[in-house]
Structure formats: structure tokens, C-alpha cells
Amino acid sequence: MASKTPVGFIGLGNMGNPMAKNLVKHGYPVIVYDVFPEACKEFQDLGAQVTESPADVAERADRIITMLPSSPHAKEVYTGRNGILKKVKKGSLLIDSSTIDPAVSKELAKAAENTGAVFMDAPVSGGVGAARAGNLTFMVGGVEQEFNAAKELLTCMGSNVVYCGEVGTGQAAKICNNMLLAISMIGTAEAMNLGIRLGLDPKLLAKILNMSSGRCWSSDTYNPVPGVMEGVPSANNYQGGFGTTLMAKDLGLAQISATNTKTPVPLGSQAHQIYRMMCAKGYAMKDFSAVFQFLREEESL
């Protein structure tokens, strides 16, 4: 009967849409909400219930997953005037897959605890392609006794579900991963750009990098150079994927955490500045691998 228990899903954007669809595919009745009503239309056609607010979702489901753009959005959805915690049932399991400040996750967990609900942070890695394929990696923070209950749902959307520790540790793992991803993407873009200017064929250079010590996810799975790989944003004018704005946001979270813990992150800081410059120069809605195009144009860098 567990699979017949409704699951609430709030936030049907680039990542939330395929994640919620995978719950539907696994036989869960899904109750959805998004601030943009048009995002819900397709779920209505799939037989999902569409609600008017996060509070309405909490009234109808005692297991809710949220996938939101930033810390302010998460606060509004959980603690706002029509937020989840206004009508949440005691014992409800609330799983937030947004990437937000670990301190905000802890704050929301405390607020949820005061209502008798359980909050876990479970940010994801893998991007839109992995969300569609159900191959995401979830990094989960929260009460360990609740991990198996969360895992039942998360394995419908991901192939790796890892328990990280108390609330906030999932976010910590995610922002460390994304800081490294940003640095490696910039490094890949720089190396590819230099090689091309030295007369190397980009496909050949990528092949060499991927059989050598410079190989990384950014070079062998998500190459930023147009024409090197198919099925990645660089092959589609950097459309889709993981937006530059979101990468800049995640790097900002890493900077805040680094400041709070007095941790030196010189390359993370430089990556943050590069992605912020990209946002200011018209790349905000492009995939973050567009840093290759940005570097091609910014001779001064």
C-alpha cells in the first residue's frame, strides 16, 4: 500500500518536472504545485492533482518533495503565508531537494520539528539529463531513522541515495561538489580553448584529455566545446542543462560557507567571479558550460 500513498511535489521547473514524472511512472499518486500554473498543466493530463498553494499540498499529502531555485524560495514555500508548515500534518516527511544555504536547511528543519513534521535536505547532482533518466545522486541530511522512508521515494528518481549526516550535511556535500564542478568546467574550457588556438582539432584534443590525467566529468561527459559531443548543451547553443545563474548562486553559497568556516577557497572564489561576470554579460540563461564561449570572447581574461 505504501506506493499508493500520495506524494506531494512542489516546484516543477527544469529539474522538478522530470523528477515528479518519475514518481508518476513508479505508480505514486502525485499532488503538485508550482508558482507558474502552466507548469502543472502537463501533470493534470497525467492524472496528478493540482493544488492552489504549498499549504494545500500539505493538507493532502504527508510526504512532500520540494525542488526550488534558492533559499528565499524555500523559506517562502515552507514558512510563508500559504506555506507547507501552515497545514502540515504531524509525522509528515518533508524532503527538500533544492540547493540552498545549509543554515537555511537547519532553520527549516527546526520550524518543521515545531509542527511535529520531519524535514530532510536532499539536494541532487546529475543535471536535467539524469533527472529524466532517473539517475540522479541524492545527498541526504537529517534524522537517520527517517532515511529509509526518504530513500523509498528518492530511489524512484535517482540511482545513488547517500546519507550524509544531520540536516545541512546534504547541502554541504552539494555545494562542495558544485564548487569543484565549476572549477573543472572552467579548467576544461581554458584547456580546450588554448589547444584550439594552438591548432589542435577539438575532438582530437578532447580524446587525448580523456585518455590522460586531465580527464574529468566536464571533459568526458559534458564537454563545453560545440561539435565535440552530441546530446549536451554545447551542441545546442548552450540551451537546457544547468543554468549559469544557478551555478553562480551555488558558488555564492560555497563562498558564504567558506567565510563562516574560515576556509581558503581561492579557485572557488575566482570561479564565482567568472560566473557572476557571465551573468552580467548575457549568459545568465545559458548552460554553465557556456564559460567556453565566454572565454573565447573575453580576450582580457
Side-chain angles (χ1 to χ4, degrees):
M1 285 298 291
S3 65
K4 300 298 180 192
T5 308
V7 178
F9 204 106
I10 299 170
L12 302 168
N14 284 344
M15 292 292 290
N17 176 296
M19 287 168 68
K21 279 181 183 167
N22 279 326
L23 285 172
V24 173
K25 282 178 194 168
H26 279 80
Y28 287 93
V30 176
I31 299 163
V32 298
Y33 171 77
D34 193 277
V35 69
F36 299 107
E38 59 272 21
C40 300
K41 170 101 181 56
E42 154 177 38
F43 285 90
Q44 203 161 17
D45 297 343
L46 291 171
Q49 289 181 56
V50 176
T51 62
E52 297 295 315
S53 71
D56 291 343
V57 175
E59 205 169 21
R60 302 186 203 186
D62 57 12
R63 295 185 294 176
I64 301 170
I65 297 164
T66 52
M67 189 58 166
L68 307 159
S70 66
S71 296
H73 293 99
K75 282 185 178 180
E76 179 62 25
V77 162
Y78 280 92
T79 62
R81 194 165 54 86
N82 288 310
I84 290 168
L85 299 185
K86 288 288 182 281
K87 292 190 178 177
V88 73
K89 302 171 196 168
K90 201 171 263 192
S92 290
L93 176 60
L94 311 174
I95 302 170
D96 182 38
S97 286
S98 321
T99 299
I100 60 174
D101 188 331
V104 173
S105 289
K106 290 177 184 176
E107 188 185 313
L108 295 178
K110 189 69 185 163
E113 192 183 339
N114 291 339
T115 68
V118 175
F119 176 95
M120 303 186 88
D121 60 308
V124 304
S125 179
V128 175
R132 287 197 193 106
N135 289 334
L136 291 167
T137 292
F138 287 89
M139 294 151 263
V140 185
V143 181
E144 192 168 6
Q145 293 89 314
E146 298 291 337
F147 177 62
N148 284 337
K151 191 174 181 181
E152 180 205 326
L153 295 176
L154 299 180
T155 48
C156 296
M157 302 175 283
S159 50
N160 299 298
V161 182
V162 184
Y163 180 69
C164 298
E166 62 184 26
V167 168
T169 56
Q171 298 295 349
K174 172 62 191 286
I175 61 178
C176 289
N177 177 77
N178 275 23
M179 184 175 76
L180 179 57
L181 172 60
I183 293 167
S184 69
M185 181 56 79
I186 294 167
T188 299
E190 287 184 2
M192 292 295 296
N193 190 30
L194 177 60
I196 291 164
R197 290 185 177 183
L198 289 170
L200 285 164
D201 174 77
K203 280 191 176 180
L204 174 68
L205 178 55
K207 182 180 176 182
I208 291 167
L209 291 176
N210 293 335
M211 58 174 64
S212 304
S213 53
R215 182 180 64 84
C216 61
W217 187 86
S218 296
S219 70
D220 72 3
T221 305
Y222 210 85
N223 199 285
V225 181
V228 168
M229 293 182 73
E230 292 179 6
V232 292
S234 62
N236 187 34
N237 195 29
Y238 301 102
Q239 299 303 308
F242 185 62
T244 293
T245 305
L246 291 174
M247 180 55 91
K249 179 209 70 169
D250 288 0
L251 288 165
L253 294 174
Q255 290 303 296
I256 292 165
S257 296
T259 300
N260 291 342
T261 55
K262 298 181 172 63
T263 306
V265 287
L267 293 182
S269 182
Q270 183 67 36
H272 185 215
Q273 294 308 315
I274 288 171
Y275 278 102
R276 287 179 68 192
M277 283 192 284
M278 285 176 67
C279 289
K281 288 180 178 279
Y283 290 85
M285 303 311 291
K286 299 266 192 184
D287 179 75
F288 80 108
S289 61
V291 67
F292 172 77
Q293 196 177 53
F294 175 71
L295 291 171
R296 296 275 286 181
E297 292 171 5
E298 294 293 317
E299 299 282 350
S300 60
L301 284 177

mmCIF file with all atom_site columns, all heavy atoms in Angstrom, residues 259-282:
data_model
loop_
_atom_site.group_PDB
_atom_site.id
_atom_site.type_symbol
_atom_site.label_atom_id
_atom_site.label_alt_id
_atom_site.label_comp_id
_atom_site.label_asym_id
_atom_site.label_entity_id
_atom_site.label_seq_id
_atom_site.pdbx_PDB_ins_code
_atom_site.Cartn_x
_atom_site.Cartn_y
_atom_site.Cartn_z
_atom_site.occupancy
_atom_site.B_iso_or_equiv
_atom_site.pdbx_formal_charge
_atom_site.auth_seq_id
_atom_site.auth_comp_id
_atom_site.auth_asym_id
_atom_site.auth_atom_id
_atom_site.pdbx_PDB_model_num
ATOM 1   N N   . THR A 1 259 ? 33.500 31.462 4.159   1.00 0.00 ? 259 THR A N   1
ATOM 2   C CA  . THR A 1 259 ? 33.707 32.590 5.075   1.00 0.00 ? 259 THR A CA  1
ATOM 3   C C   . THR A 1 259 ? 33.362 32.188 6.500   1.00 0.00 ? 259 THR A C   1
ATOM 4   O O   . THR A 1 259 ? 34.117 32.463 7.446   1.00 0.00 ? 259 THR A O   1
ATOM 5   C CB  . THR A 1 259 ? 32.838 33.797 4.643   1.00 0.00 ? 259 THR A CB  1
ATOM 6   O OG1 . THR A 1 259 ? 33.216 34.174 3.315   1.00 0.00 ? 259 THR A OG1 1
ATOM 7   C CG2 . THR A 1 259 ? 33.031 34.975 5.573   1.00 0.00 ? 259 THR A CG2 1
ATOM 8   N N   . ASN A 1 260 ? 32.214 31.512 6.663   1.00 0.00 ? 260 ASN A N   1
ATOM 9   C CA  . ASN A 1 260 ? 31.761 31.106 8.005   1.00 0.00 ? 260 ASN A CA  1
ATOM 10  C C   . ASN A 1 260 ? 32.713 30.126 8.680   1.00 0.00 ? 260 ASN A C   1
ATOM 11  O O   . ASN A 1 260 ? 32.811 30.091 9.903   1.00 0.00 ? 260 ASN A O   1
ATOM 12  C CB  . ASN A 1 260 ? 30.361 30.482 7.927   1.00 0.00 ? 260 ASN A CB  1
ATOM 13  C CG  . ASN A 1 260 ? 29.294 31.505 7.586   1.00 0.00 ? 260 ASN A CG  1
ATOM 14  O OD1 . ASN A 1 260 ? 29.524 32.707 7.722   1.00 0.00 ? 260 ASN A OD1 1
ATOM 15  N ND2 . ASN A 1 260 ? 28.142 31.056 7.130   1.00 0.00 ? 260 ASN A ND2 1
ATOM 16  N N   . THR A 1 261 ? 33.407 29.319 7.877   1.00 0.00 ? 261 THR A N   1
ATOM 17  C CA  . THR A 1 261 ? 34.302 28.299 8.447   1.00 0.00 ? 261 THR A CA  1
ATOM 18  C C   . THR A 1 261 ? 35.776 28.682 8.309   1.00 0.00 ? 261 THR A C   1
ATOM 19  O O   . THR A 1 261 ? 36.658 27.883 8.617   1.00 0.00 ? 261 THR A O   1
ATOM 20  C CB  . THR A 1 261 ? 34.081 26.927 7.765   1.00 0.00 ? 261 THR A CB  1
ATOM 21  O OG1 . THR A 1 261 ? 34.248 27.085 6.337   1.00 0.00 ? 261 THR A OG1 1
ATOM 22  C CG2 . THR A 1 261 ? 32.684 26.386 8.039   1.00 0.00 ? 261 THR A CG2 1
ATOM 23  N N   . LYS A 1 262 ? 36.011 29.934 7.832   1.00 0.00 ? 262 LYS A N   1
ATOM 24  C CA  . LYS A 1 262 ? 37.384 30.436 7.636   1.00 0.00 ? 262 LYS A CA  1
ATOM 25  C C   . LYS A 1 262 ? 38.216 29.477 6.769   1.00 0.00 ? 262 LYS A C   1
ATOM 26  O O   . LYS A 1 262 ? 39.361 29.160 7.085   1.00 0.00 ? 262 LYS A O   1
ATOM 27  C CB  . LYS A 1 262 ? 38.066 30.682 8.995   1.00 0.00 ? 262 LYS A CB  1
ATOM 28  C CG  . LYS A 1 262 ? 37.379 31.745 9.844   1.00 0.00 ? 262 LYS A CG  1
ATOM 29  C CD  . LYS A 1 262 ? 38.117 31.962 11.143  1.00 0.00 ? 262 LYS A CD  1
ATOM 30  C CE  . LYS A 1 262 ? 37.560 33.161 11.906  1.00 0.00 ? 262 LYS A CE  1
ATOM 31  N NZ  . LYS A 1 262 ? 36.149 32.986 12.310  1.00 0.00 ? 262 LYS A NZ  1
ATOM 32  N N   . THR A 1 263 ? 37.595 29.026 5.677   1.00 0.00 ? 263 THR A N   1
ATOM 33  C CA  . THR A 1 263 ? 38.244 28.075 4.771   1.00 0.00 ? 263 THR A CA  1
ATOM 34  C C   . THR A 1 263 ? 38.741 28.781 3.516   1.00 0.00 ? 263 THR A C   1
ATOM 35  O O   . THR A 1 263 ? 37.954 29.440 2.836   1.00 0.00 ? 263 THR A O   1
ATOM 36  C CB  . THR A 1 263 ? 37.242 26.968 4.353   1.00 0.00 ? 263 THR A CB  1
ATOM 37  O OG1 . THR A 1 263 ? 36.686 26.371 5.525   1.00 0.00 ? 263 THR A OG1 1
ATOM 38  C CG2 . THR A 1 263 ? 37.925 25.898 3.515   1.00 0.00 ? 263 THR A CG2 1
ATOM 39  N N   . PRO A 1 264 ? 40.026 28.666 3.179   1.00 0.00 ? 264 PRO A N   1
ATOM 40  C CA  . PRO A 1 264 ? 40.512 29.301 1.944   1.00 0.00 ? 264 PRO A CA  1
ATOM 41  C C   . PRO A 1 264 ? 40.033 28.545 0.707   1.00 0.00 ? 264 PRO A C   1
ATOM 42  O O   . PRO A 1 264 ? 40.241 27.335 0.598   1.00 0.00 ? 264 PRO A O   1
ATOM 43  C CB  . PRO A 1 264 ? 42.037 29.228 2.079   1.00 0.00 ? 264 PRO A CB  1
ATOM 44  C CG  . PRO A 1 264 ? 42.297 28.085 3.016   1.00 0.00 ? 264 PRO A CG  1
ATOM 45  C CD  . PRO A 1 264 ? 41.108 27.982 3.927   1.00 0.00 ? 264 PRO A CD  1
ATOM 46  N N   . VAL A 1 265 ? 39.373 29.263 -0.196  1.00 0.00 ? 265 VAL A N   1
ATOM 47  C CA  . VAL A 1 265 ? 38.908 28.653 -1.454  1.00 0.00 ? 265 VAL A CA  1
ATOM 48  C C   . VAL A 1 265 ? 39.224 29.601 -2.619  1.00 0.00 ? 265 VAL A C   1
ATOM 49  O O   . VAL A 1 265 ? 38.331 30.120 -3.278  1.00 0.00 ? 265 VAL A O   1
ATOM 50  C CB  . VAL A 1 265 ? 37.393 28.316 -1.414  1.00 0.00 ? 265 VAL A CB  1
ATOM 51  C CG1 . VAL A 1 265 ? 37.114 27.116 -0.530  1.00 0.00 ? 265 VAL A CG1 1
ATOM 52  C CG2 . VAL A 1 265 ? 36.564 29.518 -0.950  1.00 0.00 ? 265 VAL A CG2 1
ATOM 53  N N   . PRO A 1 266 ? 40.511 29.823 -2.896  1.00 0.00 ? 266 PRO A N   1
ATOM 54  C CA  . PRO A 1 266 ? 40.859 30.815 -3.925  1.00 0.00 ? 266 PRO A CA  1
ATOM 55  C C   . PRO A 1 266 ? 40.306 30.490 -5.311  1.00 0.00 ? 266 PRO A C   1
ATOM 56  O O   . PRO A 1 266 ? 39.843 31.382 -6.016  1.00 0.00 ? 266 PRO A O   1
ATOM 57  C CB  . PRO A 1 266 ? 42.394 30.818 -3.912  1.00 0.00 ? 266 PRO A CB  1
ATOM 58  C CG  . PRO A 1 266 ? 42.799 29.571 -3.194  1.00 0.00 ? 266 PRO A CG  1
ATOM 59  C CD  . PRO A 1 266 ? 41.696 29.265 -2.235  1.00 0.00 ? 266 PRO A CD  1
ATOM 60  N N   . LEU A 1 267 ? 40.347 29.233 -5.728  1.00 0.00 ? 267 LEU A N   1
ATOM 61  C CA  . LEU A 1 267 ? 39.815 28.886 -7.050  1.00 0.00 ? 267 LEU A CA  1
ATOM 62  C C   . LEU A 1 267 ? 38.290 28.946 -7.059  1.00 0.00 ? 267 LEU A C   1
ATOM 63  O O   . LEU A 1 267 ? 37.681 29.354 -8.053  1.00 0.00 ? 267 LEU A O   1
ATOM 64  C CB  . LEU A 1 267 ? 40.301 27.504 -7.488  1.00 0.00 ? 267 LEU A CB  1
ATOM 65  C CG  . LEU A 1 267 ? 41.803 27.380 -7.774  1.00 0.00 ? 267 LEU A CG  1
ATOM 66  C CD1 . LEU A 1 267 ? 42.144 25.969 -8.241  1.00 0.00 ? 267 LEU A CD1 1
ATOM 67  C CD2 . LEU A 1 267 ? 42.250 28.401 -8.811  1.00 0.00 ? 267 LEU A CD2 1
ATOM 68  N N   . GLY A 1 268 ? 37.665 28.545 -5.953  1.00 0.00 ? 268 GLY A N   1
ATOM 69  C CA  . GLY A 1 268 ? 36.202 28.651 -5.841  1.00 0.00 ? 268 GLY A CA  1
ATOM 70  C C   . GLY A 1 268 ? 35.761 30.097 -5.928  1.00 0.00 ? 268 GLY A C   1
ATOM 71  O O   . GLY A 1 268 ? 34.762 30.426 -6.569  1.00 0.00 ? 268 GLY A O   1
ATOM 72  N N   . SER A 1 269 ? 36.526 30.977 -5.307  1.00 0.00 ? 269 SER A N   1
ATOM 73  C CA  . SER A 1 269 ? 36.221 32.408 -5.331  1.00 0.00 ? 269 SER A CA  1
ATOM 74  C C   . SER A 1 269 ? 36.368 32.975 -6.743  1.00 0.00 ? 269 SER A C   1
ATOM 75  O O   . SER A 1 269 ? 35.520 33.744 -7.214  1.00 0.00 ? 269 SER A O   1
ATOM 76  C CB  . SER A 1 269 ? 37.154 33.141 -4.365  1.00 0.00 ? 269 SER A CB  1
ATOM 77  O OG  . SER A 1 269 ? 36.859 34.508 -4.334  1.00 0.00 ? 269 SER A OG  1
ATOM 78  N N   . GLN A 1 270 ? 37.429 32.571 -7.433  1.00 0.00 ? 270 GLN A N   1
ATOM 79  C CA  . GLN A 1 270 ? 37.646 33.033 -8.808  1.00 0.00 ? 270 GLN A CA  1
ATOM 80  C C   . GLN A 1 270 ? 36.531 32.518 -9.727  1.00 0.00 ? 270 GLN A C   1
ATOM 81  O O   . GLN A 1 270 ? 36.021 33.246 -10.575 1.00 0.00 ? 270 GLN A O   1
ATOM 82  C CB  . GLN A 1 270 ? 39.009 32.542 -9.312  1.00 0.00 ? 270 GLN A CB  1
ATOM 83  C CG  . GLN A 1 270 ? 39.370 33.016 -10.698 1.00 0.00 ? 270 GLN A CG  1
ATOM 84  C CD  . GLN A 1 270 ? 39.591 34.520 -10.787 1.00 0.00 ? 270 GLN A CD  1
ATOM 85  O OE1 . GLN A 1 270 ? 40.108 35.136 -9.869  1.00 0.00 ? 270 GLN A OE1 1
ATOM 86  N NE2 . GLN A 1 270 ? 39.189 35.126 -11.890 1.00 0.00 ? 270 GLN A NE2 1
ATOM 87  N N   . ALA A 1 271 ? 36.142 31.254 -9.530  1.00 0.00 ? 271 ALA A N   1
ATOM 88  C CA  . ALA A 1 271 ? 35.052 30.675 -10.328 1.00 0.00 ? 271 ALA A CA  1
ATOM 89  C C   . ALA A 1 271 ? 33.763 31.455 -10.105 1.00 0.00 ? 271 ALA A C   1
ATOM 90  O O   . ALA A 1 271 ? 33.006 31.728 -11.045 1.00 0.00 ? 271 ALA A O   1
ATOM 91  C CB  . ALA A 1 271 ? 34.855 29.201 -9.975  1.00 0.00 ? 271 ALA A CB  1
ATOM 92  N N   . HIS A 1 272 ? 33.506 31.834 -8.859  1.00 0.00 ? 272 HIS A N   1
ATOM 93  C CA  . HIS A 1 272 ? 32.310 32.610 -8.527  1.00 0.00 ? 272 HIS A CA  1
ATOM 94  C C   . HIS A 1 272 ? 32.303 33.920 -9.304  1.00 0.00 ? 272 HIS A C   1
ATOM 95  O O   . HIS A 1 272 ? 31.283 34.316 -9.888  1.00 0.00 ? 272 HIS A O   1
ATOM 96  C CB  . HIS A 1 272 ? 32.278 32.877 -7.015  1.00 0.00 ? 272 HIS A CB  1
ATOM 97  C CG  . HIS A 1 272 ? 31.042 33.560 -6.543  1.00 0.00 ? 272 HIS A CG  1
ATOM 98  N ND1 . HIS A 1 272 ? 31.037 34.475 -5.508  1.00 0.00 ? 272 HIS A ND1 1
ATOM 99  C CD2 . HIS A 1 272 ? 29.752 33.478 -6.964  1.00 0.00 ? 272 HIS A CD2 1
ATOM 100 C CE1 . HIS A 1 272 ? 29.804 34.922 -5.321  1.00 0.00 ? 272 HIS A CE1 1
ATOM 101 N NE2 . HIS A 1 272 ? 29.007 34.333 -6.180  1.00 0.00 ? 272 HIS A NE2 1
ATOM 102 N N   . GLN A 1 273 ? 33.440 34.603 -9.329  1.00 0.00 ? 273 GLN A N   1
ATOM 103 C CA  . GLN A 1 273 ? 33.524 35.885 -10.041 1.00 0.00 ? 273 GLN A CA  1
ATOM 104 C C   . GLN A 1 273 ? 33.308 35.702 -11.547 1.00 0.00 ? 273 GLN A C   1
ATOM 105 O O   . GLN A 1 273 ? 32.638 36.497 -12.195 1.00 0.00 ? 273 GLN A O   1
ATOM 106 C CB  . GLN A 1 273 ? 34.882 36.548 -9.776  1.00 0.00 ? 273 GLN A CB  1
ATOM 107 C CG  . GLN A 1 273 ? 35.102 36.983 -8.350  1.00 0.00 ? 273 GLN A CG  1
ATOM 108 C CD  . GLN A 1 273 ? 33.977 37.852 -7.813  1.00 0.00 ? 273 GLN A CD  1
ATOM 109 O OE1 . GLN A 1 273 ? 33.519 38.769 -8.490  1.00 0.00 ? 273 GLN A OE1 1
ATOM 110 N NE2 . GLN A 1 273 ? 33.504 37.556 -6.611  1.00 0.00 ? 273 GLN A NE2 1
ATOM 111 N N   . ILE A 1 274 ? 33.875 34.625 -12.109 1.00 0.00 ? 274 ILE A N   1
ATOM 112 C CA  . ILE A 1 274 ? 33.715 34.381 -13.543 1.00 0.00 ? 274 ILE A CA  1
ATOM 113 C C   . ILE A 1 274 ? 32.246 34.144 -13.885 1.00 0.00 ? 274 ILE A C   1
ATOM 114 O O   . ILE A 1 274 ? 31.717 34.724 -14.847 1.00 0.00 ? 274 ILE A O   1
ATOM 115 C CB  . ILE A 1 274 ? 34.598 33.185 -13.992 1.00 0.00 ? 274 ILE A CB  1
ATOM 116 C CG1 . ILE A 1 274 ? 36.077 33.609 -13.980 1.00 0.00 ? 274 ILE A CG1 1
ATOM 117 C CG2 . ILE A 1 274 ? 34.190 32.695 -15.391 1.00 0.00 ? 274 ILE A CG2 1
ATOM 118 C CD1 . ILE A 1 274 ? 37.068 32.471 -14.181 1.00 0.00 ? 274 ILE A CD1 1
ATOM 119 N N   . TYR A 1 275 ? 31.550 33.341 -13.091 1.00 0.00 ? 275 TYR A N   1
ATOM 120 C CA  . TYR A 1 275 ? 30.137 33.064 -13.380 1.00 0.00 ? 275 TYR A CA  1
ATOM 121 C C   . TYR A 1 275 ? 29.254 34.287 -13.119 1.00 0.00 ? 275 TYR A C   1
ATOM 122 O O   . TYR A 1 275 ? 28.258 34.490 -13.814 1.00 0.00 ? 275 TYR A O   1
ATOM 123 C CB  . TYR A 1 275 ? 29.658 31.820 -12.619 1.00 0.00 ? 275 TYR A CB  1
ATOM 124 C CG  . TYR A 1 275 ? 30.056 30.557 -13.358 1.00 0.00 ? 275 TYR A CG  1
ATOM 125 C CD1 . TYR A 1 275 ? 31.139 29.797 -12.955 1.00 0.00 ? 275 TYR A CD1 1
ATOM 126 C CD2 . TYR A 1 275 ? 29.379 30.175 -14.513 1.00 0.00 ? 275 TYR A CD2 1
ATOM 127 C CE1 . TYR A 1 275 ? 31.539 28.672 -13.670 1.00 0.00 ? 275 TYR A CE1 1
ATOM 128 C CE2 . TYR A 1 275 ? 29.769 29.057 -15.240 1.00 0.00 ? 275 TYR A CE2 1
ATOM 129 C CZ  . TYR A 1 275 ? 30.846 28.313 -14.817 1.00 0.00 ? 275 TYR A CZ  1
ATOM 130 O OH  . TYR A 1 275 ? 31.229 27.209 -15.539 1.00 0.00 ? 275 TYR A OH  1
ATOM 131 N N   . ARG A 1 276 ? 29.644 35.124 -12.174 1.00 0.00 ? 276 ARG A N   1
ATOM 132 C CA  . ARG A 1 276 ? 28.895 36.372 -11.971 1.00 0.00 ? 276 ARG A CA  1
ATOM 133 C C   . ARG A 1 276 ? 29.089 37.315 -13.160 1.00 0.00 ? 276 ARG A C   1
ATOM 134 O O   . ARG A 1 276 ? 28.157 37.979 -13.600 1.00 0.00 ? 276 ARG A O   1
ATOM 135 C CB  . ARG A 1 276 ? 29.342 37.048 -10.666 1.00 0.00 ? 276 ARG A CB  1
ATOM 136 C CG  . ARG A 1 276 ? 28.830 36.321 -9.418  1.00 0.00 ? 276 ARG A CG  1
ATOM 137 C CD  . ARG A 1 276 ? 29.299 36.996 -8.149  1.00 0.00 ? 276 ARG A CD  1
ATOM 138 N NE  . ARG A 1 276 ? 28.691 38.300 -7.981  1.00 0.00 ? 276 ARG A NE  1
ATOM 139 C CZ  . ARG A 1 276 ? 29.093 39.202 -7.083  1.00 0.00 ? 276 ARG A CZ  1
ATOM 140 N NH1 . ARG A 1 276 ? 30.116 38.934 -6.283  1.00 0.00 ? 276 ARG A NH1 1
ATOM 141 N NH2 . ARG A 1 276 ? 28.484 40.360 -6.969  1.00 0.00 ? 276 ARG A NH2 1
ATOM 142 N N   . MET A 1 277 ? 30.316 37.370 -13.676 1.00 0.00 ? 277 MET A N   1
ATOM 143 C CA  . MET A 1 277 ? 30.574 38.199 -14.870 1.00 0.00 ? 277 MET A CA  1
ATOM 144 C C   . MET A 1 277 ? 29.770 37.683 -16.061 1.00 0.00 ? 277 MET A C   1
ATOM 145 O O   . MET A 1 277 ? 29.223 38.454 -16.837 1.00 0.00 ? 277 MET A O   1
ATOM 146 C CB  . MET A 1 277 ? 32.065 38.205 -15.214 1.00 0.00 ? 277 MET A CB  1
ATOM 147 C CG  . MET A 1 277 ? 32.900 39.091 -14.332 1.00 0.00 ? 277 MET A CG  1
ATOM 148 S SD  . MET A 1 277 ? 34.579 39.319 -14.996 1.00 0.00 ? 277 MET A SD  1
ATOM 149 C CE  . MET A 1 277 ? 35.342 37.775 -14.587 1.00 0.00 ? 277 MET A CE  1
ATOM 150 N N   . MET A 1 278 ? 29.692 36.369 -16.187 1.00 0.00 ? 278 MET A N   1
ATOM 151 C CA  . MET A 1 278 ? 28.913 35.779 -17.279 1.00 0.00 ? 278 MET A CA  1
ATOM 152 C C   . MET A 1 278 ? 27.445 36.208 -17.187 1.00 0.00 ? 278 MET A C   1
ATOM 153 O O   . MET A 1 278 ? 26.826 36.546 -18.200 1.00 0.00 ? 278 MET A O   1
ATOM 154 C CB  . MET A 1 278 ? 29.015 34.255 -17.240 1.00 0.00 ? 278 MET A CB  1
ATOM 155 C CG  . MET A 1 278 ? 30.349 33.721 -17.731 1.00 0.00 ? 278 MET A CG  1
ATOM 156 S SD  . MET A 1 278 ? 30.471 31.927 -17.555 1.00 0.00 ? 278 MET A SD  1
ATOM 157 C CE  . MET A 1 278 ? 29.240 31.373 -18.747 1.00 0.00 ? 278 MET A CE  1
ATOM 158 N N   . CYS A 1 279 ? 26.909 36.185 -15.967 1.00 0.00 ? 279 CYS A N   1
ATOM 159 C CA  . CYS A 1 279 ? 25.506 36.605 -15.775 1.00 0.00 ? 279 CYS A CA  1
ATOM 160 C C   . CYS A 1 279 ? 25.316 38.054 -16.212 1.00 0.00 ? 279 CYS A C   1
ATOM 161 O O   . CYS A 1 279 ? 24.308 38.403 -16.819 1.00 0.00 ? 279 CYS A O   1
ATOM 162 C CB  . CYS A 1 279 ? 25.095 36.444 -14.304 1.00 0.00 ? 279 CYS A CB  1
ATOM 163 S SG  . CYS A 1 279 ? 24.928 34.725 -13.795 1.00 0.00 ? 279 CYS A SG  1
ATOM 164 N N   . ALA A 1 280 ? 26.308 38.889 -15.914 1.00 0.00 ? 280 ALA A N   1
ATOM 165 C CA  . ALA A 1 280 ? 26.221 40.316 -16.252 1.00 0.00 ? 280 ALA A CA  1
ATOM 166 C C   . ALA A 1 280 ? 26.391 40.565 -17.750 1.00 0.00 ? 280 ALA A C   1
ATOM 167 O O   . ALA A 1 280 ? 26.008 41.613 -18.260 1.00 0.00 ? 280 ALA A O   1
ATOM 168 C CB  . ALA A 1 280 ? 27.278 41.091 -15.470 1.00 0.00 ? 280 ALA A CB  1
ATOM 169 N N   . LYS A 1 281 ? 26.958 39.598 -18.449 1.00 0.00 ? 281 LYS A N   1
ATOM 170 C CA  . LYS A 1 281 ? 27.254 39.804 -19.881 1.00 0.00 ? 281 LYS A CA  1
ATOM 171 C C   . LYS A 1 281 ? 26.370 38.974 -20.807 1.00 0.00 ? 281 LYS A C   1
ATOM 172 O O   . LYS A 1 281 ? 26.748 38.640 -21.920 1.00 0.00 ? 281 LYS A O   1
ATOM 173 C CB  . LYS A 1 281 ? 28.736 39.506 -20.139 1.00 0.00 ? 281 LYS A CB  1
ATOM 174 C CG  . LYS A 1 281 ? 29.656 40.579 -19.558 1.00 0.00 ? 281 LYS A CG  1
ATOM 175 C CD  . LYS A 1 281 ? 31.126 40.259 -19.815 1.00 0.00 ? 281 LYS A CD  1
ATOM 176 C CE  . LYS A 1 281 ? 32.006 41.358 -19.285 1.00 0.00 ? 281 LYS A CE  1
ATOM 177 N NZ  . LYS A 1 281 ? 32.107 42.496 -20.192 1.00 0.00 ? 281 LYS A NZ  1
ATOM 178 N N   . GLY A 1 282 ? 25.183 38.618 -20.317 1.00 0.00 ? 282 GLY A N   1
ATOM 179 C CA  . GLY A 1 282 ? 24.197 37.999 -21.196 1.00 0.00 ? 282 GLY A CA  1
ATOM 180 C C   . GLY A 1 282 ? 24.163 36.479 -21.212 1.00 0.00 ? 282 GLY A C   1
ATOM 181 O O   . GLY A 1 282 ? 23.469 35.878 -22.020 1.00 0.00 ? 282 GLY A O   1
#
